[in-house]
Amino acid sequence: MFPAPPPSVPSASDLSRAEIVAGLVSLLGADKVSTDEHELRDASVDRFRKYTSVHGIFTGPIPAAIVTPGSTEEVSKVLAFAHEHRVNVVPRTGRTATEGGLETLVADTVVLDGSTMDAVMKIDPVNMMVTAQCGVPLQRLEDLLREQGLTTGHSPQSKPLAQMGGLVATRSIGQFSTLYGGIEDMVVGLEAVFPDGTVTRIKNVPRRAAGPDIRHVVIGNEGALCVITEVTVKLFKFQPEHNRYFGFLVDEFGDAVERLRTLITDGYRPSVCRVYSPEDANQHFSHFSQDKNVVVLVAEGPDGIARATAEAIEKTFAGTEAVDPKLIVEWLDNLNWGQDKIDAEKRAMLETRHLGYTTEVSVDWSQVTPLYEAVIGRIRAEFPRAADLTMLGAHSSHSYQTGTNLYFVYDYRISCEPEEEITEYHIPLNAIIVEESLRLGGSMVHHHGIGKYRTPWTREEHGSAYHLLQVLKRGFDPHGIMNAGTIFPVEP
């Protein structure tokens, strides 16, 4: 049996919907409280339900209001009000979530939109840090930094739309992560507001041993514990003139992964470090993939480091067929998704009844190929609508000393009513991938966050350590007002 969609929950508030709206207006003013019907419907889902939403189908509770606070003080007022009256709050910034984390499960929810808090507070090129409010778009920040020869090193596919608060709240990762790390490796300090209105600032220091690293109470909380209002991240020198680009064709997936493992465990850190299975490669590199596994690598950094990394790449992949580097540059230049691609995808879904999704997990090196084979085999054998699949593949895109991620990609034709798509296709496929990853000792989610569709496995993911999460939730959010159903399963 595959899990059902998360259930809708009645409001626990002592206020009516109209009273919640009136209370918010009295706190922030009418110009910062939206009750527009179209905006509220759109705010009730994220891209996990992109197919139903493009058909105008919204089956969950519609929020009572969307609020756009302009300061940390106003965020604090909203949360204190919600805490006092037990109003569910779903925080958001760039709205690029893909796992249901922005869905509203509770009636009369308030969506707290931090996108208008968009000031770059300070760029510090001496101490190599930048401080920005939660609503600062990553693309705008990067453009500003690159004018000064600097970069955050963070470049997720959602870069044209993503904003800083959401990136930190979901433990985002970027395409250059094997060199620069995930967002958790970049955050120096931050400011957050907890449900009772308490404002917390974690100071910016290079490192400290003053107890547990409390940044990680906030990083990755997905709006289930607090609202991130400001972040400080590391900076790096931007040196694209030293970049070297590589592509290789490899016959066997396991061989490609093993060569990647060798490169990483030998101590080299290419910024881009990817292996695509033949099926996945054909949709990205059809002009040269030849139904083979495609490896993509970029050597980056100071000239000496980039040159040494390039030499190691060439040595490690000796004996395979090399790809023209210009083709890799062209692919990278068109990898990110902006609003134009999202709009095009919406049109295509309506015209063709066809779409694609992804599920990303992580696993130790020794289990990469077994996981890949187990997932592909099980989907083809067990998924009731396997005949509707038009593509099923995977790629590794973020590697570490101890292992890598696998990003499973699945496209399908939809042969059911639009409202049934999520239960007939997306949830079962997602479930198989999660179950196999956990069975082989991996993590059920690498960088998209748990959202509301992987919560059935949160306890299994953490095992005995789930107790730590429960204590955090009960301690910081005793009334359960923060993004109900995200990370933490909805309790009866």
Side-chain angles (χ1 to χ4, degrees), residues 207-230:
R207 187 185 186 274
R208 56 178 165 174
D213 192 339
I214 54 177
R215 292 174 300 177
H216 293 280
V217 172
V218 176
I219 299 171
N221 87 92
E222 298 185 49
L225 296 178
C226 61
V227 175
I228 298 166
T229 50
E230 185 184 294

Side-chain angles (χ1 to χ4, degrees), residues 411-428:
D411 297 354
Y412 46 82
R413 294 180 301 269
I414 298 165
S415 56
C416 63
E417 293 303 311
E419 57 267 30
E420 298 173 343
E421 177 271 328
I422 196 168
T423 53
E424 292 294 310
Y425 294 92
H426 196 183
I427 287 177

Side-chain angles (χ1 to χ4, degrees), residues 256-275:
V257 170
E258 176 57 24
R259 289 174 189 258
L260 201 67
R261 186 195 70 81
T262 299
L263 183 68
I264 297 301
T265 58
D266 280 351
Y268 296 96
R269 295 293 180 266
S271 59
V272 177
C273 191
R274 296 186 170 214
V275 173

Side-chain angles (χ1 to χ4, degrees), residues 138 152-159 162 167 170-186 270-274 300 332 335-336 395-400 405 407 446-448:
L138 177 59
T152 63
H154 198 58
S155 186
Q157 197 168 10
S158 60
K159 183 178 178 179
L167 293 170
T170 56
R171 292 182 73 88
S172 164
I173 207 161
Q175 292 146 356
F176 312 135
S177 69
T178 304
L179 175 61
Y180 296 105
I183 197 74
E184 69 276 12
D185 302 304
M186 301 172 180
S271 59
V272 177
C273 191
R274 296 186 170 214
E300 186 174 332
L332 276 170
L335 189 57
N336 289 345
H395 60 267
S396 160
S397 48
H398 309 278
S399 288
Y400 312 90
N405 82 310
Y407 215 130
H446 177 260
H447 63 271
H448 281 168

Side-chain angles (χ1 to χ4, degrees), residues 7 22 39 111 119 131 217 229 280 298 324 332 340 342 424 465 476 490:
E39 291 183 4
V111 174
T131 300
V217 172
T229 50
D280 199 359
V298 179
D324 184 347
L332 276 170
D340 57 337
I342 290 176
E424 292 294 310
F476 290 122
V490 173

Side-chain angles (χ1 to χ4, degrees), residues 1-208:
M1 288 289 293
F2 296 116
S8 297
V9 179
S11 173
S13 179
D14 58 356
L15 301 179
S16 68
R17 187 180 182 90
E19 288 171 333
I20 291 170
V21 173
L24 294 169
V25 170
S26 70
L27 287 175
L28 302 182
D31 61 323
K32 294 181 179 179
V33 181
S34 174
T35 56
D36 178 83
E37 182 179 349
H38 179 73
E39 291 183 4
L40 293 178
R41 288 199 318 165
D42 284 349
S44 70
V45 297
D46 64 21
R47 282 179 56 76
F48 196 93
R49 287 184 176 267
K50 61 185 179 183
Y51 190 70
T52 50
S53 63
V54 80
H55 283 85
I57 299 168
F58 299 92
T59 56
I62 304 301
I66 302 167
V67 298
T68 51
S71 66
T72 299
E73 180 183 8
E74 289 186 342
V75 173
S76 176
K77 288 180 180 179
V78 171
L79 291 188
F81 170 81
H83 180 75
E84 178 183 357
H85 296 290
R86 303 199 177 197
V87 178
N88 187 59
V89 176
V90 175
R92 74 180 192 192
T93 52
R95 302 183 65 183
T96 59
T98 62
E99 306 305 317
L102 301 186
E103 282 191 25
T104 52
L105 295 189
V106 181
D108 300 337
T109 286
V110 171
V111 174
L112 193 156
D113 188 320
S115 61
T116 57
M117 297 174 61
D118 62 352
V120 177
M121 311 295 287
K122 182 180 181 181
I123 298 174
D124 184 348
V126 174
N127 297 309
M128 297 296 277
M129 293 183 285
V130 60
T131 300
Q133 288 185 304
C134 59
V136 170
L138 177 59
Q139 184 70 64
R140 175 157 67 85
L141 180 62
E142 272 293 305
D143 291 345
L144 183 63
L145 291 169
R146 290 185 181 190
E147 290 175 0
Q148 302 182 35
L150 301 169
T151 179
T152 63
H154 198 58
S155 186
Q157 197 168 10
S158 60
K159 183 178 178 179
L161 299 172
Q163 297 173 0
M164 295 303 293
L167 293 170
V168 176
T170 56
R171 292 182 73 88
S172 164
I173 207 161
Q175 292 146 356
F176 312 135
S177 69
T178 304
L179 175 61
Y180 296 105
I183 197 74
E184 69 276 12
D185 302 304
M186 301 172 180
V187 172
V188 183
L190 51 80
E191 178 187 80
V193 185
F194 284 82
D196 63 356
T198 298
V199 178
T200 298
R201 178 175 288 276
I202 300 174
K203 68 182 180 180
N204 304 328
V205 291
R207 187 185 186 274
R208 56 178 165 174

